[in-house]
Amino acid sequence: MRGSPPEGGAAGQFFAPTWRGRWIWFEAPRIALRAFTEPELESSAHDRYGMLRRAFHLDSAPETAPARVTADSRYVLWVNGAEVSRGPVRSNPRLLTYDPLDLAPHLRVGENVIAILVRFYGNPTPWWMPVPVTYSLGAGSMAFESAIGDQWIVSDATWRATPATAWTPAAPHGMGGSIPEIVDARLLPERWTQPGFDDSGWANAFEITPLHVGAHGAPNPPSAPYGPLLPRPVPPLQGDLRRAHLAAHVRVAGGSDEPHPVSQVETDERSPEDPAGPVELLTFDFGEVVSGLLEVEIDAPAGTRFDLSAAESLLADGGLCRLSQETGVRYTARGGDETFRAFDPIGTRYLRVAARGPGPLEVFYVNVLERHRPRAPGAFFECSDPLLARIYETGLRTVDLCAHDAYIDCPTREQRAWTGDAVVHQMVDLAANPDWSLARRHPVLTASPRSDGMLPMAVACDFELADQSFIPDWPLHWIRSVHNLYRWTGDRELVSSLMGSAEGVLRWFTSYTRDDGLLHDVSGWVLIDWSSVYTTGASSALNALWARGLRDFAEMSEWLGDAGRAGWSRGLYGTVEASFDTFWDPDRGVYVDHVVGGVRQRAAAQHGGAAALAAGLVPRERADRVAERLLDRSRLIRRSWVMDTVTPEGDSSGFAGLIAPRPDPDWDVEEQMVEAQPFFRYVLHDGLAAIGRADLIADACRDWSVFVDRGETSWPECWVGGTHCHGWSSTPTRDLVWFTLGITPAEPGFARARIAPRLGGLEWARGAAPTPHGLITVEAHSDGRVVVDSPVPYVVE
């Protein structure tokens, strides 16, 4: 037996690779054999909840009690009734992680209890995908161990366990893919997480012996198929409690009984108002988008049923405008004063509650306990334009809401970890958050290549498992996120670990090159962004993004001392550079969207020229002309075949365009240019900085005023349509630090900093940005005065 834990030792560093605890579950794994070598989940294995308890006595309270816990799929852990942890974080299922904890603050002299609620989704979700089952694992499991004083508490058959019959299994619903939580508190044992609860009627936990072809009988984790079980790579999530205000309360006749809480609320919404009706409809408003764990405080008669549905906005008639958000919870009250906290996180602004039961509600409050990755204090940005200062802050809030255990596209509609979107989230964190743990983690999480080298469009989720579609340009943005790690962290081991996936992506595209060295007819969903951009044939934007990826890869390879791969990628870049004028229209001074059958087409959105500037493909003598045309607001228009209809007033019919040929343009392609959506603006702004015109970027960020004027408190997905909170729209927060204040690394890892303020008409700007060595603070004035406080050497330009 190992001795007492070292003073101040981190739990994750204290434990040996092999666990003392066993895999356990609240029942035998629901695995069947289709054939001897083909185990599979039983149909009844999906969305199963269970409860596990371990009571023990302490003669004295320890100063530290290191513990670790993991589960397939998720768990909530309490010590003596206090919630301590939820997890594990999303991951590839073959790389399951554990959560290191210190239980000491929650322990006391006398009887103690560790209680764990476990849930096995079975069906893939936006934040979880199943592992291939073995003969015994892959249908739900949990492992735990803790050194408490002179004893070890480990998961084994001494734990008490029971199925959690208060929860009704459900299936994923809608495009968002979340599974509704349906719970009847009358069936939930009271105080089961507290010491003194009588669990004598429960069974002993089921110990799972890892069995698979070639198994050698080792009973303790780590075990196939979950991998080595490494500690969680990001800190615990944190946030404030947000309370909604009651915006409306009416009685209605109520609709037919529906199995899904969202469908129930929709049906009840359509029923007529009736002062004596059996259903109370309550509408709650948080005043802004919030993201975290739903919590309701209730005082209602036993058996009162509450169906909750979430949405970001309301329709003109007061109904919820869900826009494909199918988040729902059904809760049946135990009776009396009670508080319920949901299992999975949600994102919303509005919640509509349909309450039906034997008597009136006495109390009903709705809260969300926000849970985001930490954002440490210290970084800031201020300037002489209050609008830009507000734009900076709103971008921070938006990324906070979209930074859970991974960078997610949005907290409302789906919560998936997309491969390409996250480059903007990452850059905002690198620019404005001293905690870079998620900025480092997300590129590792999304480095999950298919057998052909392409990365999935979203990872650790239903989309990766199904692999029915992919976005070939998304991994090119992922390569940029790896390049960001090279420049900002200077971590050679981290960057080198990702270079194999980066090379696989770049090589995937080579099969689509022709004699001119350009990519033609690339398969998959070539998205670019939601703007109306044509991509058939040879796409200027896609070719330029590939060229930028090749150049980034060459630069990183040279830094790592790999001249061979650097030469390979520079050679391919040179072929694209030599042929890129295929897209150039000298009469109009634009790069057209695409070339089909050797014929240059007329449509010319911002994207091709922006990406060409960012990739260094534009001859220097031409660059100013290209930039001037890209920024001519009198000619820019906003169009999205898909998202223009995804609004409260629209019918979302644009989604049909995802599987239909692009329509002919309804704008003047000779004079007008389709503007990039907020996401791709990071490429445009990179391009301006690359040609020495960072002074134009502060004014470009003022385009976000359209959102401010609409009263948005987080940045929407698109200029028109989509969700009201999308992290990929937060580019200005990065820009105002990197380009307006001009704080960037002159050497990898900020061995030396570059300070190059480009105020662009501002009278002054000041702020602080994180580095691996501490904060760099800069104050710049329009008269040229620059004051710098830096922990590292720097050069002012």
Side-chain angles (χ1 to χ4, degrees), residues 516-532:
D516 58 3
L518 297 176
L519 305 172
H520 292 258
D521 301 316
V522 174
S523 63
W525 174 18
V526 181
L527 175 57
I528 307 301
D529 75 0
W530 283 125
S531 289
S532 297

Side-chain angles (χ1 to χ4, degrees), residues 71 86 138 216 229 295 433 465 513 687 768:
R86 290 176 179 242
H216 49 78
L229 294 185
E295 184 178 278
N433 181 7
L465 183 69
T513 57

Side-chain angles (χ1 to χ4, degrees), residues 226-242:
Y226 297 123
L229 294 185
L230 300 176
R232 67 179 288 149
V234 293
L237 307 184
Q238 56 187 233
D240 299 325
L241 187 72
R242 303 294 181 108

Side-chain angles (χ1 to χ4, degrees), residues 49 119 166-170 180-184 259-261 328-331:
Y49 290 81
R119 183 183 188 183
W167 280 266
T168 298
E181 185 172 359
I182 301 173
V183 57
D184 187 339
H260 192 286
V329 173
R330 172 169 291 169
Y331 182 78

Side-chain angles (χ1 to χ4, degrees), residues 371-373 375 395-404 429:
R371 285 168 53 84
H372 318 135
R373 60 86 184 89
R375 175 157 58 87
L396 285 180
R397 170 67 176 164
T398 305
V399 171
D400 284 350
L401 291 167
C402 298
H404 292 189
D429 267 357

Side-chain angles (χ1 to χ4, degrees), residues 298-638:
I298 302 168
D299 188 350
T304 303
R305 195 181 85 187
F306 301 91
D307 289 287
L308 296 88
S309 179
E312 290 180 312
S313 57
L314 299 178
L315 300 169
D317 63 2
L320 292 184
C321 181
R322 294 178 179 85
L323 296 179
S324 302
Q325 181 175 0
E326 301 290 341
T327 306
V329 173
R330 172 169 291 169
Y331 182 78
T332 302
R334 174 185 287 116
D337 188 6
E338 54 193 296
T339 298
F340 165 72
R341 183 177 290 174
F343 193 90
D344 288 325
I346 71 164
T348 191
R349 173 174 173 174
Y350 296 96
L351 274 169
R352 180 148 293 157
V353 182
R356 45 179 35 88
L361 300 179
E362 297 296 331
V363 173
F364 195 95
Y365 296 113
V366 172
N367 310 307
V368 163
L369 177 61
E370 293 202 321
R371 285 168 53 84
H372 318 135
R373 60 86 184 89
R375 175 157 58 87
F380 72 96
F381 174 83
E382 300 170 344
C383 69
S384 55
D385 184 349
L387 172 63
L388 289 178
R390 180 173 177 179
I391 287 171
Y392 170 87
E393 292 291 340
T394 304
L396 285 180
R397 170 67 176 164
T398 305
V399 171
D400 284 350
L401 291 167
C402 298
H404 292 189
D405 55 355
Y407 293 130
I408 59 175
D409 59 336
C410 59
T412 51
R413 188 175 63 209
E414 51 187 286
Q415 300 184 29
R416 291 184 178 94
W418 288 78
T419 303
D421 302 34
V423 65
V424 174
H425 310 52
Q426 182 210 40
M427 291 187 294
V428 169
D429 267 357
L430 292 173
N433 181 7
D435 187 333
W436 286 356
S437 55
L438 194 53
R440 297 167 62 93
R441 162 64 174 170
H442 196 94
V444 175
L445 173 68
T446 45
S448 184
R450 309 185 317 185
S451 58
D452 62 353
M454 177 54 60
L455 299 185
M457 60 185 185
V459 300
C461 68
D462 46 2
F463 281 8
E464 180 178 7
L465 183 69
D467 195 24
Q468 294 173 338
S469 183
F470 68 99
I471 304 175
D473 34 318
W474 254 217
L476 299 175
H477 296 289
W478 174 85
I479 290 175
R480 171 51 46 147
S481 74
V482 178
H483 188 265
N484 291 335
L485 292 178
Y486 142 65
R487 292 193 63 210
W488 262 256
T489 72
D491 188 331
R492 291 180 182 272
E493 181 177 354
L494 174 60
V495 173
S496 63
S497 72
L498 299 170
M499 292 293 279
S501 294
E503 181 179 352
V505 167
L506 295 170
R507 287 189 181 277
W508 181 91
F509 283 96
T510 59
S511 298
Y512 294 92
T513 57
R514 295 187 183 171
D515 292 343
D516 58 3
L518 297 176
L519 305 172
H520 292 258
D521 301 316
V522 174
S523 63
W525 174 18
V526 181
L527 175 57
I528 307 301
D529 75 0
W530 283 125
S531 289
S532 297
V533 183
Y534 293 95
T535 59
T536 53
S539 161
S540 60
L542 184 61
N543 271 279
L545 290 174
W546 185 49
R548 185 185 66 169
L550 289 165
R551 191 173 65 167
D552 285 351
F553 184 81
E555 183 180 345
M556 292 186 289
S557 296
E558 289 167 348
W559 176 62
L560 293 169
D562 191 340
R565 284 183 171 80
W568 165 78
S569 52
R570 288 207 183 278
L572 287 174
Y573 175 88
T575 63
V576 177
E577 184 180 31
S579 296
F580 200 76
D581 264 9
T582 299
F583 303 104
W584 175 243
D585 182 338
D587 296 332
R588 293 185 294 163
V590 297
Y591 287 94
V592 301
D593 284 359
H594 61 152
V595 172
V596 179
V599 179
R600 193 165 52 231
Q601 305 300 296
R602 302 303 294 171
Q606 271 188 327
H607 306 69
L613 289 175
L617 298 172
V618 180
R620 186 66 194 88
E621 66 274 9
R622 185 189 298 169
D624 287 339
R625 185 184 180 198
V626 172
E628 181 181 359
R629 185 65 177 84
L630 291 174
L631 297 178
D632 184 352
R633 287 188 172 108
S634 69
R635 296 186 177 188
L636 293 176
I637 61 166
R638 292 171 176 170

Side-chain angles (χ1 to χ4, degrees), residues 223-279:
S223 315
Y226 297 123
L229 294 185
L230 300 176
R232 67 179 288 149
V234 293
L237 307 184
Q238 56 187 233
D240 299 325
L241 187 72
R242 303 294 181 108
R243 171 159 286 188
H245 75 270
L246 180 62
H249 184 184
V250 298
R251 279 193 173 272
V252 296
S256 59
D257 197 46
E258 300 290 337
H260 192 286
V262 173
S263 301
Q264 186 65 67
V265 173
E266 287 180 324
T267 300
D268 292 337
E269 279 181 332
R270 292 192 293 267
S271 68
E273 288 191 26
D274 181 352
V279 177

